[in-house]
Amino acid sequence: MEANVRKMTALYMFVSGIAILLMMVLGLLMLLAQGKMIPLGQDTFYEMMTAHGTFMVGAAAFAASAVMWYFLRQYVRLSFPIFVTHFVLFLTGAVMTAISIFVFRFAGAWTFLYPLPAMSAGMWGKTGASLYLIGMLLIGVSFLLLYLDTSRAIIREYGSLGHGLGWPQILGKVKGYGPPPTVVASTMVSIVNLVSLTVGASVLVMSLINLFQPSIEMDPLLAKNLIYAFGHIFANSVIYMGVIVVYEILPKYTNRPWKSYKIFLIAWNMSTLFTIIVYPHHLLMDFVMPKWMLIIGQVFSYLNGLPVLVVTAFGALMIVYRSGIEWDMASSFIFLSMFGWVAGVIPAIADATIVINHVMHNTKWVPGHFHMYMGVGAVSMLFGFMYYFIRGNERKIGYADMVSFWVYTVFFLSLCGTFLLSGKVSAPRRWAVHFPEWVPYDRMGAVFAVVIIAAVTVFLYRFFVSVIIVQAKQNIEVGPRA
Amino acid sequence: MRNTIAIVLTLVFGFGLLWHGTDGFRAFTSETARRLAILQEPKLLPAVQLEDQNGHTFSWQDQRGQWVLATFIYTRCSDVCPVVEMNLRRIYDAIRQSPHSHRLSFLSISFDSQNDTPEMLMHHAHHYGADGVTWRMARVPNERELQRLLNMMGVIVIPDGKGGYEHNAAFYLLDKKRRLVRIFDYNNPQAVIAELNHLLAKEASSKVVKK
Amino acid sequence: MSGKRYAVGGAFFMAILVLPPVLRWMESSMIGVMLGQIPVLVVAGWLFGFALPRRFIEWLNCWNENGLPGLLLAISVLTFWLLPRSVDASLNEPLLRLAKWMMLPLLVGMPLSLSWKRLHPIARGIVHTNAISMLVVMGWLYLSVPVRVCNSYLLSQQNALGRMMIALAIVLAAFWSLRLFVATTPNEPTTR
Ligand code: HEM
């Protein structure tokens, strides 16, 4: 069983790793196109952007869910068949989505903003759009299954989701520490994603109906809000799943336990509440409230993770301080991820002020901050987990890895820097063709992207080889299956 | 094992039920179902006495030799009927320009026989520019006959409690043999014109062949 | 025998539904039919499920090991009777009305009561979440379809039903999520 779990987890990480690598190549192509270094038709650019957005968020969430599952099962009884089903359903959905983008040329962006899917001006047909939506629906169902299982298991073990979040300890009914941080985080993610996926299923089905019966219209504002409620919560949850790596690995490296003390529990509860409250509230405001309140809502939606961020960053510092921790790949990535998370939130705050300055000015500043948050924050957690996963054969992990780590760090931050700078010279996001004054940033970004891709290739190569070797070793010990 | 068989069987049953219930996932409402049924199998109209805006009575028989595009309205209606009549007017104008103008006549039938006297109908005809010959306004004075006609055509009229009616609107195409052959959406006159031209042209050419 | 009591309960519900004033009142509005009559018929069938002879239940269980066949049967039959077309037909054609009154208790309520407990908790969770999102979708449909879907009802009733369905979805969502937070007895207190 244990071997099966390891095998499956490795498969998850490997598939998502490859997807992330490929999507980085698409990102590079987009930058090359924006920098006028390769001719890429507008249609192709938007297809690539759709694929990049969909599969980056999808693959990161997919890998993060495996991380969560892998650690959570130490504390509660999770169902392995569900873990496998999640894998299969997700891949099926992803393949359908990929076909819709690359064969049927669907390019309505990963936020499939209504009514874009239905109004393509002849660029993609109904088949493409419906395939994309159905693929997304399958992906949604696959995650839904997983979170239903985690909630079930947590309730079984701890009595309720409230207990999973440590309510008895917060209320002082029970003395001592709350459930392990992994359980707290998993509870939060299960809750917010059950909400987001339910909303997502509704809006996907609505879009499908609208596609086939255009006379049945959706209020565009409502659709937009529903989609964002789904998309933002879901994308944000990647980091809450990934952070489990921090809670699990740092204690092992420092030999100091990470306990759920009261402030920690309160912070997670606040983030849960904010995440759930902010979106419906945000949704209501859109209809009746003036713009400045919208902006406040926007700020809130970026900041709902702040409590968790603060306790985690602080906790990580405390646990590492004078612990004589060994800085290998896993622990380095974890520190990088904490840094990326913090650094990603700062431009978000600035973003809010920028939005206030030029209302609705959607510049590349926005991708700038979420690439920091996702690329340096969330994705680093995943790479950290991969290295933790294969740490049995340290011998092999060496110089090349450490160099790649620093290369990744420096150049990913620089890439984000070019996005932020383009934003400052008001390059809008989602434009296939850029004005000459934005082009230098795109070209710089492209160069950085090449280097990042090389570094990621090293990580994935190491992971793949190590997993195979361990597998091979085990087979030798057991002897060939007779 | 038996469990799996049962799953497969229920899936087949469920699919069959829904397939059957929606005519192969084409008709989810009774309105679409009716249109589909009529398309496949035209229905014979009941005999009724109609009274036009001049007070002349007539029946389907008198329309022999011509197809009829009919619709159901009441003159005091202020929501759909004006749209229906404006669209009928568009079709009327388009067909008059076409070579088939003599093959089709138009009829707006009021289901509010109480209020829609010939005078009201005459007024209504003027309002929409109906010539009173190719496009007539009519009512069905006999209540029983009216109900039979509405039932057969699938027109449902519900008093809204404020002196008006809520009703479904469509255009109904009757062929020369007093059969209902098509039901069209009232809000897409262009499609109706295209289909009418197509049908009438087919009819004309088949006549030539017969001769 | 408590089984009998359930049967009486189910029969009681159905008897109330056929009382002419109740029938007229419920069928006079779309909400009455969709959120009154249909659910009560299903509940009646659910109660009948408890009254079946044990032998028969055991035999059925061989075929309904994990509850999925029963669930699928119930969902497809329910979907059928929720189609606007069937709603119209069941009001206008006596034979179909009879079919509806037989099928909703016997092929929706009863299979549900026989299967619900057998379903895997995750399957139940899927039913819950799916019920919520589909209620929202249906509510939205009734609000935004520009034409009347049921010839027997006014557009305003259709819209009222749509709003009611969305409200119901919100209530259900709140109810179910509250239930997840209310403590059952844990395996052991949070010492692990
Ligand atoms: C080598 C690394 C990467 C490069 C070169 C890259 C490049 C790009 C570019 C050029 C855009 C379009 C910006 C615009 O003009 O609007 C973009 C958008 C985006 N990227 Fe990346 N990216 C990289 C890594 C990532 C990672 C790791 C993630 C997340 C895990 C990610 C998620 C996204 C998302 C969600 C969008 C928005 C798509 C949209 O607007 O619909 N990217 N990326």
Side-chain angles (χ1 to χ4, degrees):
Chain A
M1 189 63 197
E2 200 52 42
N4 278 345
V5 168
R6 274 190 70 86
K7 236 187 260 173
M8 201 64 213
T9 312
L11 208 54
Y12 265 89
M13 298 315 288
F14 193 65
V15 168
S16 356
I18 294 288
I20 289 176
L21 182 67
L22 286 178
M23 291 308 123
M24 284 181 164
V25 174
L26 288 195
L28 168 63
L29 291 179
M30 284 194 285
L31 284 177
L32 288 175
Q34 286 178 334
K36 304 200 192 324
M37 287 153 87
I38 53 166
L40 201 64
Q42 288 221 9
D43 298 359
T44 322
F45 178 88
Y46 286 114
E47 275 165 51
M48 288 191 169
M49 195 186 82
T50 307
H52 181 83
T54 311
F55 292 125
M56 276 296 188
V57 174
F62 188 55
S65 70
V67 171
M68 165 175 152
W69 196 90
Y70 184 80
F71 287 122
L72 182 61
R73 64 183 271 287
Q74 304 171 332
Y75 310 103
V76 301
R77 289 171 67 105
L78 293 173
S79 146
F80 185 65
I82 292 284
F83 193 47
V84 178
T85 315
H86 174 46
F87 186 85
V88 174
L89 269 181
F90 178 91
L91 280 196
T92 318
V95 167
M96 287 175 78
T97 316
I99 292 178
S100 83
I101 296 174
F102 293 113
V103 179
F104 293 99
R105 321 204 60 144
F106 175 79
W110 79 283
T111 41
F112 53 93
L113 254 187
Y114 172 87
L116 259 183
M119 301 196 323
S120 65
M123 277 201 293
W124 60 85
K126 267 186 191 170
T127 330
S130 49
L131 210 59
Y132 183 86
L133 294 172
I134 292 173
M136 292 291 268
L137 208 53
L138 270 184
I139 292 178
V141 171
S142 82
F143 276 101
L144 188 69
L145 279 177
L146 191 84
Y147 294 126
L148 282 171
D149 189 40
T150 54
S151 332
R152 180 198 58 80
I154 292 170
I155 291 177
R156 186 107 186 261
E157 191 67 36
Y158 293 93
S160 77
L161 293 182
H163 287 185
L165 284 176
W167 287 2
Q169 287 78 13
I170 293 177
L171 298 175
K173 283 193 189 144
V174 177
K175 290 264 175 301
Y177 298 111
T182 302
V183 174
V184 177
S186 308
T187 310
M188 185 269 194
V189 172
S190 305
I191 295 169
V192 300
N193 269 347
L194 283 180
V195 173
S196 82
L197 290 168
T198 314
V199 173
S202 302
V203 70
L204 281 168
V205 174
M206 289 180 194
S207 304
L208 270 170
I209 292 177
N210 169 262
L211 194 59
F212 288 96
Q213 278 293 329
S215 65
I216 304 179
E217 286 173 1
M218 231 188 283
D219 182 305
L221 206 54
L222 174 73
K224 181 187 133 197
N225 277 292
L226 288 179
I227 289 170
Y228 278 2
F230 161 59
H232 275 199
I233 297 183
F234 189 74
N236 269 325
S237 76
V238 173
I239 213 142
Y240 302 129
M241 292 189 274
V243 77
I244 293 175
V245 177
V246 180
Y247 299 150
E248 288 288 335
I249 297 184
L250 284 187
K252 292 205 173 79
Y253 273 59
T254 56
N255 267 327
R256 295 174 174 178
W258 189 310
K259 292 283 188 195
S260 302
Y261 43 95
K262 212 163 178 171
I263 303 287
F264 178 88
L265 291 172
I266 291 175
W268 273 92
N269 274 281
M270 277 165 74
S271 284
T272 313
L273 193 71
F274 288 175
T275 310
I276 294 191
I277 296 293
V278 159
Y279 289 97
H281 167 75
H282 184 181
L283 197 149
L284 287 180
M285 286 202 308
D286 241 14
F287 291 94
V288 287
M289 298 291 177
K291 225 161 217 155
W292 63 270
M293 286 201 84
L294 256 181
I295 292 162
I296 304 269
Q298 196 72 32
V299 177
F300 253 105
S301 63
Y302 284 129
L303 295 191
N304 58 44
L306 206 58
V308 167
L309 174 57
V310 171
V311 290
T312 307
F314 186 70
L317 283 178
M318 291 310 288
I319 206 169
V320 170
Y321 182 65
R322 293 204 169 161
S323 66
I325 186 175
E326 177 197 355
W327 290 108
D328 69 356
M329 289 296 286
S331 49
S332 309
F333 262 123
I334 283 166
F335 250 78
L336 174 61
S337 74
M338 294 309 304
F339 174 74
W341 192 1
V342 175
V345 167
I346 293 168
I349 298 171
D351 179 29
T353 33
I354 287 203
V355 177
I356 293 167
N357 285 338
H358 346 216
V359 178
M360 303 319 285
H361 215 207
N362 218 346
T363 67
K364 252 183 126 174
W365 183 271
V366 179
H369 93 75
F370 69 68
H371 276 89
M372 186 101 83
Y373 179 89
M374 294 295 274
V376 187
V379 174
S380 300
M381 292 174 181
L382 302 176
F383 288 140
F385 175 73
M386 289 188 189
Y387 274 99
Y388 168 77
F389 196 80
I390 58 171
R391 77 195 179 293
N393 28 358
E394 264 121 20
R395 228 165 1 95
K396 303 275 186 242
I397 302 170
Y399 195 60
D401 299 78
M402 224 41 191
V403 170
S404 304
F405 169 78
W406 285 108
V407 165
Y408 182 84
T409 309
V410 170
F411 285 91
F412 211 110
L413 287 174
S414 317
L415 175 70
C416 298
T418 64
F419 280 13
L420 294 175
L421 284 176
S422 322
K424 254 191 88 192
V425 295
S426 23
R429 72 182 286 202
R430 293 185 170 171
W431 275 30
V433 181
H434 276 185
F435 285 130
E437 56 275 31
W438 308 330
V439 163
Y441 299 108
D442 300 327
R443 295 194 172 166
M444 268 196 283
V447 175
F448 300 154
V450 173
V451 185
I452 296 169
I453 290 168
V456 172
T457 314
V458 173
F459 305 150
L460 286 181
Y461 170 78
R462 175 71 65 224
F463 183 71
F464 184 65
V465 171
S466 309
V467 168
I468 295 284
I469 288 175
V470 171
Q471 210 79 67
K473 250 197 215 148
Q474 278 171 355
N475 282 350
I476 291 165
E477 278 160 21
V478 177
R481 255 173 245 130
Chain B
M1 186 56 209
R2 275 200 254 179
N3 191 62
T4 320
I5 296 177
I7 291 184
V8 173
L9 285 180
T10 38
L11 279 179
V12 170
F13 171 77
F15 187 81
L17 183 68
L18 291 176
W19 175 274
H20 176 75
T22 57
D23 286 325
F25 301 114
R26 285 180 300 173
F28 295 91
T29 64
S30 30
E31 189 68 23
T32 38
R34 216 155 43 78
R35 290 180 191 188
L36 218 58
I38 280 163
L39 196 62
Q40 280 154 3
E41 199 181 337
K43 276 200 202 166
L44 203 61
L45 295 177
V48 292
Q49 280 283 316
L50 296 129
E51 182 183 18
D52 74 6
Q53 74 281 353
N54 297 320
H56 297 310
T57 53
F58 65 103
S59 69
W60 306 125
Q61 267 78 6
D62 309 332
Q63 298 277 346
R64 190 152 278 165
Q66 272 189 326
W67 292 46
V68 180
L69 189 68
T71 189
F72 289 85
I73 46 109
Y74 67 106
T75 58
R76 285 172 308 134
C77 174
S78 56
D79 45 68
V80 261
C81 303
V83 183
V84 172
E85 293 288 56
M86 275 320 291
N87 284 341
L88 192 59
R89 164 87 187 267
R90 291 205 180 98
I91 301 170
Y92 172 68
D93 288 343
I95 295 294
R96 269 207 299 199
Q97 314 281 320
S98 83
H100 314 298
S101 53
H102 59 285
R103 292 207 174 84
L104 184 70
S105 66
F106 295 80
L107 191 57
S108 302
I109 305 173
S110 162
F111 44 74
D112 184 6
S113 343
Q114 299 284 289
N115 293 299
D116 287 339
T117 57
E119 295 77 63
M120 287 296 286
L121 292 175
M122 179 63 104
H123 182 74
H124 191 72
H126 280 311
H127 190 74
Y128 287 99
D131 62 0
V133 181
T134 343
W135 182 2
R136 291 199 274 184
M137 307 290 157
R139 64 171 176 172
V140 183
N142 183 320
E143 191 59 30
R144 297 265 301 277
E145 283 182 1
L146 174 64
Q147 279 315 322
R148 198 151 8 111
L149 180 65
L150 292 180
N151 278 347
M152 194 255 119
M153 298 279 236
V155 182
I156 294 188
V157 179
I158 312 171
D160 65 5
K162 287 172 274 181
Y165 299 92
E166 182 96 18
H167 60 109
N168 49 348
F171 297 126
Y172 302 83
L173 182 64
L174 317 177
D175 73 357
K176 286 189 292 194
K177 299 179 199 138
R178 304 203 288 136
R179 293 183 313 174
L180 173 60
V181 289
R182 283 278 195 296
I183 302 179
F184 298 111
D185 273 336
Y186 71 90
N187 51 9
N188 194 351
Q190 291 313 321
V192 181
I193 294 168
E195 179 75 5
L196 281 176
N197 274 326
H198 171 72
L199 284 173
L200 294 172
K202 212 166 74 181
E203 146 102 2
S205 63
S206 71
K207 209 170 264 166
V208 173
V209 173
K210 264 184 206 152
K211 269 181 195 167
Chain C
M1 278 199 53
S2 68
K4 231 177 225 160
R5 255 194 302 188
Y6 284 113
V8 173
F12 177 70
F13 275 126
M14 288 188 66
I16 289 193
L17 281 187
V18 287
L19 285 180
V22 178
L23 191 69
R24 222 173 304 126
W25 176 66
M26 281 209 167
E27 292 190 345
S28 70
S29 83
M30 218 167 160
I31 295 182
V33 170
M34 301 288 282
L35 297 179
Q37 197 181 59
I38 292 180
V40 173
L41 284 173
V42 172
V43 168
W46 178 285
L47 294 176
F48 290 149
F50 294 115
L52 291 179
R54 164 126 1 104
R55 279 275 194 69
F56 184 60
I57 293 186
E58 273 161 12
W59 179 78
L60 273 182
N61 284 347
C62 308
W63 293 88
N64 196 18
E65 191 73 40
N66 57 12
L68 279 182
L71 178 69
L72 291 173
L73 178 68
I75 290 179
S76 39
V77 174
L78 183 63
T79 312
F80 176 82
W81 287 111
L82 287 178
L83 289 177
R85 189 181 168 182
S86 324
V87 171
D88 265 342
S90 73
L91 294 174
N92 300 328
E93 293 167 39
L95 210 63
L96 279 170
R97 181 190 290 255
L98 185 69
K100 169 173 161 181
W101 283 67
M102 303 298 289
M103 280 166 85
L104 281 177
L106 298 183
L107 295 183
V108 180
M110 212 144 84
L112 272 184
S113 79
L114 294 179
S115 311
W116 189 249
K117 287 268 159 56
R118 312 186 72 81
L119 282 172
H120 193 275
I122 294 182
R124 270 182 267 169
I126 291 183
V127 175
H128 280 168
T129 44
N130 215 42
I132 294 173
S133 26
M134 286 310 119
L135 264 177
V136 171
V137 170
M138 270 165 48
W140 162 75
L141 265 179
Y142 284 125
L143 278 172
S144 54
V145 173
V147 294
R148 290 187 4 224
V149 294
C150 279
N151 286 338
S152 320
Y153 296 109
L154 302 182
L155 201 56
S156 57
Q157 292 201 348
Q158 190 169 307
N159 290 344
L161 175 66
R163 272 188 291 275
M164 194 71 142
M165 281 183 154
I166 289 182
L168 189 65
I170 293 174
V171 171
L172 279 184
F175 176 70
W176 276 322
S177 29
L178 277 184
R179 250 192 26 188
L180 295 181
F181 281 99
V182 171
T184 55
T185 41
N187 278 3
E188 58 208 70
T190 53
T191 45
R192 262 187 83 151

